[in-house]
Amino acid sequence: AESLRRFRAGAEAGAARHGYRLEAFRLGGSGLSEARLEKVLHARGIRGVVFAPVPRPGTILKQAWANHAVAALGFSLASPRLHRAVNHQIHSIRLALSSLVGLGYRRIGLVISRAHDERVDHHWLSSVLLTRHEQRDANVAFPLLLEDDFGPRVLQRWLRAERPEVVLTTEPGIASRLRR
């Protein structure tokens, strides 16, 4: 995803400013086990670790990682509790919605996958609900499609029922499907 590329570019630039470089290691699946990774890092004198988001939200690391400076990107690692860098989803979507209201839109549709919302600790959904609450007297509607299936029939049914003037989405590929 674009946000991951930007996180990595920022981490590489930050490391370079301090005389370090970023090196990627694959954890789990076809990569290293956690215990093996910790041993490899220790043997190579690598003291700092930044965990990229993992596929499953709520993931728990088994190792203590006490001998390393450890941080995470995103919310998908639930344990151990780490310092983390994240996109401020609540601010991002509220800024976008505020801008669209300022442009005069009154039916602002939102298309968000349940899985994606869960990966970001439900910050997308909570920001939508907060904005709906704050705008309840402003004659603005925020129809929401919160699903995991965005097939053509699902999108078509939602578009016909809700008739949004503009659609805000977190899902790649939705824009081209909506145009069709």
Side-chain angles (χ1 to χ4, degrees), residues 104-121:
Y105 291 103
R106 293 294 171 248
R107 290 196 64 74
I108 302 169
L110 296 116
V111 176
I112 301 171
S113 82
R114 289 181 186 278
H116 192 153
D117 186 53
E118 185 179 339
R119 284 182 57 81
V120 299
D121 202 25

Side-chain angles (χ1 to χ4, degrees), residues 85-180:
V86 298
N87 170 16
H88 194 323
Q89 289 89 4
I90 293 173
H91 178 75
S92 297
I93 204 163
R94 288 171 51 76
L95 179 62
L97 292 173
S98 174
S99 295
L100 291 169
V101 168
L103 290 170
Y105 291 103
R106 293 294 171 248
R107 290 196 64 74
I108 302 169
L110 296 116
V111 176
I112 301 171
S113 82
R114 289 181 186 278
H116 192 153
D117 186 53
E118 185 179 339
R119 284 182 57 81
V120 299
D121 202 25
H122 302 287
H123 286 162
W124 293 124
L125 178 57
S126 56
S127 61
V128 171
L129 296 176
L130 177 60
T131 302
R132 277 181 172 174
H133 174 74
E134 290 175 341
Q135 298 283 336
R136 66 190 176 279
D137 298 326
N139 196 26
V140 180
F142 300 96
L144 173 65
L145 178 59
L146 183 66
E147 291 289 336
D148 279 324
D149 171 18
F150 295 111
R153 287 189 176 135
V154 172
L155 284 172
Q156 198 171 57
R157 193 175 324 121
W158 179 77
L159 286 169
R160 281 188 187 135
E162 299 297 345
R163 300 209 163 297
E165 298 170 308
V166 64
V167 175
L168 183 63
T169 184
T170 60
E171 306 310 307
I174 289 291
S176 62
R177 287 195 254 163
L178 289 172
R179 281 188 205 101
R180 277 187 247 134

Side-chain angles (χ1 to χ4, degrees), residues 11-73:
E12 285 174 338
R17 278 193 304 274
H18 297 286
Y20 297 101
R21 68 183 170 87
L22 211 57
E23 186 173 344
F25 292 89
R26 186 168 176 79
L27 182 63
S30 61
L32 300 168
S33 71
E34 231 185 290
R36 180 74 183 129
L37 176 60
E38 195 170 30
K39 288 177 185 171
V40 167
L41 296 176
H42 180 73
R44 292 184 53 191
I46 298 172
R47 307 272 302 153
V49 179
V50 177
F51 287 102
V54 295
R56 267 193 312 260
T59 296
I60 297 171
L61 298 176
K62 295 172 182 77
Q63 299 299 113
W65 293 96
N67 296 319
H68 295 86
V70 185
L73 298 177

